[in-house]
Structures are given as C-alpha cells and as structure tokens.
Amino acid sequence: MNGPADRAQLALLLEVAGTPKPGNVDRDRDLPDLRFEHFLAGAIGARAGLELAEAGEPVGVAFERAVEGMATQRGGNTQFGALLLLVPLVCAAAQGMTRSQCESVVAETSVSDAASFYRAFDHVDVAVDDPPPDAPALDVRRGADAIPAVRERGLDLQSVLELGVPDDDVAREWVTGFERSFAAADRLADRDGPIADRAGSVYLSLLAERPDTLVATRHGESVAADVHERAATLADRNAFERDLTAVADFADDLVAAGINPGTTADLTAAGLFIALERGSITV
C-alpha cells in the first residue's frame, strides 16, 4: 500500500468483507437490493476522489468526486457515510494520522466544500425522502438546491455538519475529532486474527456502545435502542469470540427485518483506515 488513497480503498474493502456484521452487507450476506459486489464496485469507483484527497485537493471537491464514482455501480448508495469520514482522514494523513490534525482539516473547510457536500446528494439516493415544501433551507434532502442558503449564511462544511449532531453519528465524528473512529482503530489493533474478522468484531463493539443513528432515522429510536441492547448483550458475553452462531443469528434477524446499522459500518471503515495508516494493522 503506497499511499493514503490505497489504504482508504482497502479499508472500504475490508469493512464489507468483515462478517458477521449484523444488519449489513458482508461477505456472507446480501440485502435484497444491495449486494456484496456493489460495495466492491463502490470502493473502486470512489478511488478518484480518494486520490484527490491525498493530493491535497479541497475536502468538498474530493468528497463529491468520490461519491460520484461510488454511485456508478447499480446498487445505489454503498459508502456515502464512510467516504464522508475517509476523505478528511485521507487529507489529514499527509500531516500525520492524529486527532488534532483531523480537527485542523475539518476546521479549515470552506463554503465551497459545503456546496460540494450538498451536490453529492444529487449523485446518489442516501436513504432520505424528497423534501416537503416547508423543509428548512439547509435540509440535505434539497441537495444542490440548498447551496444558495449555504452561501448566503457563509457556512463551511464543518458548520453544516454540526447541524446534524446529535442525530447523525457520522456528523458527530466531524465535531469530536473523529473520536469513535480512532477508538475503533485501537480496538482493531488490540484484536487477533484476520483483519476482516477483526472488523466484524469491532463493528459489534461499536453497535453495543451506542444506538445506530441510521437505524434511528429509518425505524425510530426504540428500534435503534433494541438493536443496540441486543448487541450489548452479545458483546458483554464476549459472544463474538465464544459464540459466532449467536452473532450470525442476530445478523440474519436484522437482515430479515430490513434493519441496517449503516452508520456503525461507516465508523468501522474509518477505524480500519486509521489503523492501516498508522501501521498498527497490516495486510
């Protein structure tokens, strides 16, 4: 792996290869309209945007290009949230893979970066409904139509994402110095075994830590809490190591119910990149 773009692409591939990953696509499970190969193709398509980030292009430009490329496969949105984490992390990697450097990258984002973020929504369905006529001017469902309001208010991308907290844990990473992403990287380094299997284990630990915000958005907070509590029960029993059957059953149950903790998968991908960039895990 020669550079951060290589390692970011590898992180996307390792994330989807991890199994069992309750509710998400993995190497053993597809969703009805979203399959393993869609994620592989999405990781390949995102490459040009990741290379822009490595080359020092603005975060927004690199992110929009990564999403545009990701969306060329037929499955739809595979890694939008993961790329929203990975692009600033790749930008930061040139100066050192530290939380303080990541904070500097997001603090230096611009109004143009925020405009690119909104345009990215026009490239792919990100599991949001069309905005009602009375939706706020900055509602992400507006896509590029929100850009005049962004420019009028002079909002940079970090400021826009702050508006998503606490309802979106990807946005939360942008305002907490990628706290959980770095924690995931530490857990990956501490575990043994094949990296893809460690990714599945760390995914479960993250789901046990907090309710997934994508599940809360799609299914309500009570469902997200139930999923979190079941994950916590398995993690408390160290069941990922002792009883893979129980975790696999949990995974099958969530897939059958159409419950997809996608934010937790995004955090896992970010953690994989950080660990790869630090050299604390190697392939």
Side-chain angles (χ1 to χ4, degrees):
M1 297 290 104
N2 294 323
D6 296 304
R7 289 181 280 276
Q9 187 176 47
L10 178 59
L12 291 171
L13 296 170
L14 289 170
E15 186 283 315
V16 73
T19 189
K21 231 167 53 255
N24 281 273
V25 171
D26 60 32
R27 67 179 186 264
D28 291 335
R29 290 169 187 79
D30 292 328
L31 301 181
D33 299 316
L34 196 58
R35 302 191 302 274
F36 182 67
E37 62 262 33
H38 291 141
F39 281 81
L40 302 183
I44 292 169
R47 175 62 187 237
L50 296 171
E51 288 177 344
L52 290 176
E54 181 178 342
E57 292 295 321
V59 170
V61 170
F63 174 68
E64 184 184 358
R65 179 65 185 86
V67 170
E68 182 182 16
M70 173 210 74
T72 57
Q73 42 73 34
R74 295 184 178 182
N77 174 32
T78 49
Q79 291 127 329
F80 188 99
L83 291 170
L84 189 54
L85 296 174
L86 286 173
V87 166
L89 290 172
V90 171
C91 291
Q95 302 298 322
M97 198 70 265
T98 65
R99 287 181 65 185
S100 62
Q101 185 56 37
C102 295
E103 289 170 344
S104 295
V105 166
V106 301
E108 292 168 4
T109 57
S110 66
V111 173
S112 293
D113 292 320
S116 293
F117 166 73
Y118 277 99
R119 277 194 298 269
F121 282 87
D122 292 342
H123 295 300
V124 65
D125 178 4
V126 192
V128 292
D129 299 325
D130 291 335
D134 60 348
L138 295 173
D139 194 311
V140 295
R141 293 174 293 180
R142 293 190 180 277
D145 290 340
I147 292 174
V150 170
R151 289 181 172 148
E152 180 182 348
R153 302 181 194 191
L155 295 174
D156 58 37
L157 183 49
Q158 183 183 31
S159 299
V160 166
L161 290 174
E162 284 176 354
L163 301 174
V165 181
D167 296 330
D168 182 345
D169 271 0
V170 169
R172 182 178 180 271
E173 290 295 279
W174 272 63
V175 301
T176 62
F178 296 82
E179 175 185 22
R180 298 184 73 204
S181 300
F182 276 85
D186 291 340
R187 294 174 200 174
L188 284 158
D190 289 342
R191 283 164 166 74
D192 297 319
I195 293 174
D197 293 344
R198 291 191 229 177
S201 174
V202 170
Y203 168 92
L204 184 70
S205 77
L206 291 167
L207 190 56
E209 189 175 73
R210 283 170 61 91
D212 186 277
T213 50
L214 180 61
V215 174
T217 297
R218 287 181 170 177
H219 301 280
E221 292 184 3
S222 63
V223 172
D226 289 343
V227 171
H228 155 66
E229 289 167 7
R230 186 169 175 187
T233 298
L234 292 170
D236 287 345
R237 296 204 316 261
N238 202 24
F240 199 93
E241 287 75 20
R242 290 192 301 102
D243 188 1
L244 280 171
T245 300
V247 184
D249 289 344
F250 181 30
D252 292 339
D253 289 347
L254 291 190
V255 169
I259 297 172
N260 165 221
T263 299
T264 305
D266 298 335
L267 294 166
T268 303
L272 281 161
F273 171 71
I274 293 167
L276 288 165
E277 190 64 27
R278 286 172 159 179
S280 55
I281 61 173
T282 56
V283 176

